[in-house]
């Protein structure tokens, strides 16, 4: 009898849901391929402008015209300064963003003082931090742009003054741009700027330390110094580009990772506040939270910061609280982040140095005050015209190749330039600007570098998004482009470099080559192209790009 193979059982038809899953998976894969192709050829589509939010404060915050705690009322208190890098005020819950969770900052504002309209004097990290720590505008303290300037030893910092008053002092930094070489370590007994445990940023190889690691170090120091008066500064860099929040924030804020980074930073602030409470220090610790500058997010075609002087990159969150010793109030008058140093000193009952640009907010908040701004970052990074500005309620005047005037009382997002219809006001504010900067505004808008960087140091700053290569020792002799005219090109260069960040330096070079052909007179395009070639090992091509830079700007070192 022949052996016969048993009949194979009939194959069951696939269930309907299996077809649905297969179609869904193939559809998602196809969508991702199409999306990647589109963004390769039209990279600007990856950026979607984020509408600004009208500031809306919590209803339980009463209005006040000055701090509810008078001068000297916090004598002997500890001080914790938290600076939030690249943080817009309107992205926090307590300022009106209903699509984010910032419970720790919201709670701090609820029991402290929230400043509705706080402005940074400069939209860049080093100049703005130097102003927070000295009470001086960049024009006076001298650290006017990232990387190529430093705060001179002759300047006096808040840390120096508190150290002289018997405070233990420590700072914990999260990015190379505030390395001790730039002068902010003055007065700090401990200055933690070690980025060796940080994550690599960009394929150029710079470093940033994430906020949780910085906070870990701060908490360790705090526990070891809780038995004495202390001043601790914690710098949290995470909202700065590139925005890559950790989970669960990456998933929760997938539509706007920038908000996810702010929510992550709020968690770190909460850890600091929890530790103060655990150590029994809450009611005897003045906590000051302030942004160094904002982020464009597409307003005025500026996606990052450092190029222009609109409130998108100047308005910052500013909150002060001391346990139950400050009742929840808000102050509507416009203030400056340069007010932090004189206000802290006043609250502690210490002498406030003469000649500061910042004012003591514990004594009064002037309503007829002029606030000043400057910006050399566009000149330093791209060879674009520097800008100066002045705010006198309700107007802001911006001086540059094309001066502008805005009435913030009716146009808070600065969309309607009224310089043609308000010529007298523009003239008055230009005169006000000259009273501060001097009659020659073009000379005041320029400053020679005070810091020379090694190649390795420059590469680290470039990896953080700071180029610092467009500023010579003498003012330019030819007219420079208005930053407003270059924002599309800036975005395209940033997107090209992002391809390198994603592991495709050849794609980055190809994109920059096309931009160089279209914009043969723009220094920054060739400089970035040369850097990309060099990282690829294409040294002859790099030499050619750098030679083109030399032809365009032979005055640059």
């Amino acid at each position: 009898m022949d052996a016969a193979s048993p009949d194979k059982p009939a194959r069951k038809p696939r269930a309907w849901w299996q077809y649905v899953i297969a179609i869904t998976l193939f559809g998602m894969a196809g969508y991702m391929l199409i999306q990647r192709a589109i963004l390769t050829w039209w990279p600007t589509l990856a950026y979607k402008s984020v509408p600004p939010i009208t500031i809306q404060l919590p209803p339980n915050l009463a209005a006040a015209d000055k701090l509810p705690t008078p001068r000297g009322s916090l004598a002997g208190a500890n001080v914790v300064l938290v600076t939030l890098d690249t943080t817009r005020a309107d992205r926090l819950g307590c300022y009106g963003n209903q699509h984010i969770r910032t419970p720790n900052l919201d709670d701090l504002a609820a029991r402290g003082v929230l400043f509705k309209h706080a402005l940074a004097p400069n939209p860049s990290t080093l100049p703005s931090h130097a102003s927070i720590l000295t009470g001086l505008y960049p024009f006076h303290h001298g650290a006017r742009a990232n990387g190529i300037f430093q705060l001179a030893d002759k300047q006096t910092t808040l840390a120096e003054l508190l150290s002289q008053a018997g405070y233990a002092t420590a700072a914990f930094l999260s990015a190379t741009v505030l390395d001790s070489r730039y002068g902010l370590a003055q007065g700090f007994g401990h200055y933690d700027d070690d980025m060796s445990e940080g994550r690599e940023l960009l394929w150029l190889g710079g470093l940033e330390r994430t906020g949780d690691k910085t906070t870990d170090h701060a908490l360790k120091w705090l526990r070891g110094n809780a038995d004495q008066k202390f001043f601790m500064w914690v710098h949290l860099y995470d909202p700065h580009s590139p925005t890559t929040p950790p989970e669960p924030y990456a998933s929760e804020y997938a539509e706007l990772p920038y908000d996810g980074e702010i929510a992550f930073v709020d968690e770190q602030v909460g850890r600091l506040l929890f530790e103060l409470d655990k150590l029994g220090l809450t009611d005897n610790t003045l906590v000051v939270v302030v942004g160094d500058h904002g982020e464009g997010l597409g307003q005025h075609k500026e996606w990052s910061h450092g190029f222009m002087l609109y409130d998108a990159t100047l308005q910052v969150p500013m909150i002060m609280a001391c346990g139950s010793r400050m009742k929840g109030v808000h102050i509507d008058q416009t203030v400056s982040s340069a007010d932090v140093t004189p206000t802290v000193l006043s609250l502690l009952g210490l002498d406030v140095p003469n000649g500061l640009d910042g004012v003591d907010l514990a004594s009064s908040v002037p309503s007829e005050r002029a606030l000043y701004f400057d910006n050399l970052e566009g000149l330093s990074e791209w060879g674009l015209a520097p800008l100066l500005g002045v705010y006198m309620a309700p107007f802001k005047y911006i001086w540059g190749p094309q001066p502008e005037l805005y009435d913030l009382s009716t146009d808070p997002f600065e969309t309607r330039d009224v310089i043609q219809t308000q010529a007298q006001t523009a003239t008055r504010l230009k005169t006000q600007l000259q009273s501060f900067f001097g009659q020659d505004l073009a000379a005041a808008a320029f400053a020679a570098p005070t810091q020379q960087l090694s190649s390795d140091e420059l590469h680290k700053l470039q990896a953080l998004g700071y180029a610092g290569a467009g500023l010579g020792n003498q003012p330019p002799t030819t007219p420079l482009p208005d930053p407003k005219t270059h924002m599309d090109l800036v975005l395209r260069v940033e997107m090209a470099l992002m391809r390198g960040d994603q592991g495709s330096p050849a794609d980055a070079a190809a994109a920059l080559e096309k931009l160089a052909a279209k914009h043969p007179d723009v220094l920054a395009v060739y400089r970035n192209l040369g850097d990309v070639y060099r990282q690829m090992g294409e040294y002859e091509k790099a030499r050619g790009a750098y030679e083109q830079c030399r032809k365009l700007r032979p005055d640059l070192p």
Side-chain angles (χ1 to χ4, degrees), residues 410-494:
T410 59
D411 180 25
F413 304 135
E414 297 159 296
T415 61
R416 298 186 299 274
D417 183 0
V418 297
I419 198 165
Q420 298 299 326
T421 58
Q422 298 270 6
Q424 288 185 337
T425 300
T427 299
R428 175 172 60 87
L429 290 186
K430 181 180 180 181
T431 301
Q432 184 71 37
L433 201 64
Q434 290 172 318
S435 71
F436 180 81
F437 286 102
Q439 289 298 309
D440 189 346
L441 295 178
F446 175 86
T450 59
Q451 176 84 346
Q452 296 296 327
L453 298 180
S454 69
S455 176
D456 180 62
E457 292 162 349
L458 181 59
H459 295 164
K460 288 182 178 181
L461 283 178
Q462 289 172 333
L464 289 171
Y466 307 112
L471 202 57
N473 289 315
Q474 298 295 327
T477 56
T478 57
L480 298 175
D482 192 308
K484 294 191 294 293
T485 66
H486 275 57
M487 287 299 99
D488 286 333
L489 179 57
V490 168
L491 174 60
R492 290 183 179 276
V493 169
E494 290 175 347

Side-chain angles (χ1 to χ4, degrees), residues 188-271:
F188 285 104
H190 179 71
Y191 197 83
D192 182 354
D193 58 356
D194 181 3
M195 301 294 121
S196 60
E197 64 176 341
R199 62 185 181 188
E200 290 191 5
L201 270 187
L202 300 182
W203 60 289
L204 289 173
L207 290 173
E208 165 200 356
R209 184 164 62 183
T210 54
D212 53 342
K213 290 184 172 64
T214 301
T215 304
D216 287 344
H217 286 259
L219 292 176
K220 181 179 179 181
W221 184 90
L222 177 59
R223 295 180 188 117
N225 291 271
D227 59 346
Q228 58 184 323
K229 290 190 303 183
F230 62 82
F231 168 46
M232 182 173 72
W233 167 31
V234 181
H235 165 242
L236 300 173
Y237 189 75
D238 302 84
H240 195 287
S241 178
T243 49
T244 54
E247 293 294 355
Y249 304 104
S251 298
E252 186 174 351
Y253 297 96
E255 288 293 315
L256 186 56
Y258 175 73
D259 276 8
E261 292 278 32
I262 293 176
F264 172 67
V265 161
D266 178 82
E267 178 186 333
Q268 309 317 312
V269 174
R271 293 176 63 201

